[in-house]
Amino acid sequence: MQNITITVREAGTAAIRTFACKILRDGKALAEITLTPVQTQQVREMASQYFSLLQGAGQAAGKSYLPILRDGLFHLFLEAAWPDIKADILPGARLTVASPIPELLQLPWELLDLSVQPGDGGFSIIRLPRAADGLIASTAELRPGPLRVLFLAAEPFDYEAEELSIIQASEGLDMSIAICESGTIDELKALMVSFRPHLVHLVAQAKMSGGNAAISLPASDGRTDQLFAEELAAALQGSEAAGIILA
């Protein structure tokens, strides 16, 4: 499978930050683009707008706005280089968006159409929370099965129904489920060590806080903790989990 990588870093000065983008095919650079400060702000606004569409009343009107977001993504990151790189992209390619910038990973990259000819088919997508300048390959040894899934569901969702649903879905499959009963970050950390899951599945409410996305988890004192992407990554660091599913 062909690997197309869009890697984005912050550039510019301390006073004026911009996004520098590199497009690679199987580790080979195809194009490099540096957004203007205005374009960089547009990217941040797009991420905030898209996240808002996923919440509450915004969902109903969101579908009509998705084509605008798709066209904006293409214009900012691919349009200038597209005439030179489109011949290098094969049908069914895998797109990896690699960036340490949370807003970049939140964008709806799935909406992009990278097909050169009609009917070429879609592409799979991976979000990587770090920049990458070469071919991305995992050197980690895969741990033996059965598949181990650590599951956490939190209010305002019906967590009991969510837990029952995943248990029923696992019936007859070669997999083990561990339920994070309290839903707290402390229990999640403890189970990461004792259960050593392959996947972590979180069902929790997401919201924007201070311009950044966060998920709400119950705290041990009965209040609610706002967990940001960086904090979640730090909590799971060294866990050996292959992936996180957010629902």
Side-chain angles (χ1 to χ4, degrees):
M1 176 184 292
Q2 186 185 60
N3 293 278
I4 303 298
T5 302
I6 298 177
T7 184
V8 184
R9 292 184 174 89
E10 279 196 319
T13 65
I16 304 177
R17 306 301 291 170
T18 61
F19 290 154
C21 171
K22 183 182 291 186
I23 303 172
L24 306 100
R25 182 204 62 205
D26 293 330
K28 178 183 177 182
L30 297 178
E32 295 189 36
I33 305 164
T34 299
L35 303 187
T36 67
V38 172
Q39 290 173 323
T40 299
Q41 182 59 32
Q42 289 175 340
V43 173
R44 297 189 187 277
E45 291 173 355
M46 287 170 59
S48 178
Q49 291 163 359
Y50 177 62
F51 196 82
S52 297
L53 291 178
L54 302 179
Q55 303 180 70
Q59 296 181 15
K63 289 184 178 180
S64 62
Y65 191 64
L66 292 180
I68 299 175
L69 287 176
R70 177 200 62 208
D71 294 344
L73 271 179
F74 183 85
H75 170 68
L76 291 168
F77 291 98
L78 290 170
E79 188 172 77
W82 189 246
D84 297 324
I85 68 173
K86 65 179 181 180
D88 293 295
I89 299 178
L90 301 177
R94 178 174 63 193
L95 174 64
T96 298
V97 180
S99 177
I101 307 166
E103 294 97 324
L104 265 295
L105 300 180
Q106 291 169 204
L107 290 167
W109 298 96
E110 293 84 355
L111 300 178
L112 286 175
D113 182 5
L114 300 184
S115 58
V116 178
Q117 299 293 335
D120 278 351
F123 59 94
S124 59
I125 184 166
I126 295 174
R127 287 171 169 83
L128 184 68
R130 60 178 174 82
D133 286 327
L135 185 63
I136 299 170
S138 175
T139 58
E141 181 180 351
L142 295 178
R143 288 178 284 126
L147 177 67
R148 295 187 294 279
V149 179
L150 176 54
F151 183 80
L152 182 155
E155 293 181 341
F157 297 98
D158 186 343
Y159 57 87
E160 292 183 345
E162 295 287 352
E163 291 168 1
L164 178 61
S165 177
I166 193 169
I167 290 172
Q168 291 175 337
S170 68
E171 291 179 355
L173 301 177
D174 187 22
M175 63 186 294
S176 299
I177 304 288
I179 303 294
C180 190
E181 298 288 352
S182 68
T184 64
I185 187 62
D186 289 337
E187 185 185 8
L188 182 67
K189 291 179 180 179
L191 284 171
M192 292 295 296
V193 174
S194 61
F195 185 61
R196 299 183 66 229
H198 297 96
L199 291 174
V200 179
H201 188 171
L202 305 178
V203 180
Q205 186 180 48
K207 60 176 63 177
M208 294 298 292
S209 178
N212 294 307
I215 59 174
S216 298
L217 295 180
S220 56
D221 59 4
R223 294 185 295 180
T224 299
D225 281 336
Q226 298 298 321
L227 195 65
F228 294 94
E230 296 85 352
E231 296 169 321
L232 178 59
L236 303 182
Q237 189 174 15
S239 67
E240 301 181 6
I244 302 173
I245 301 171
L246 299 175

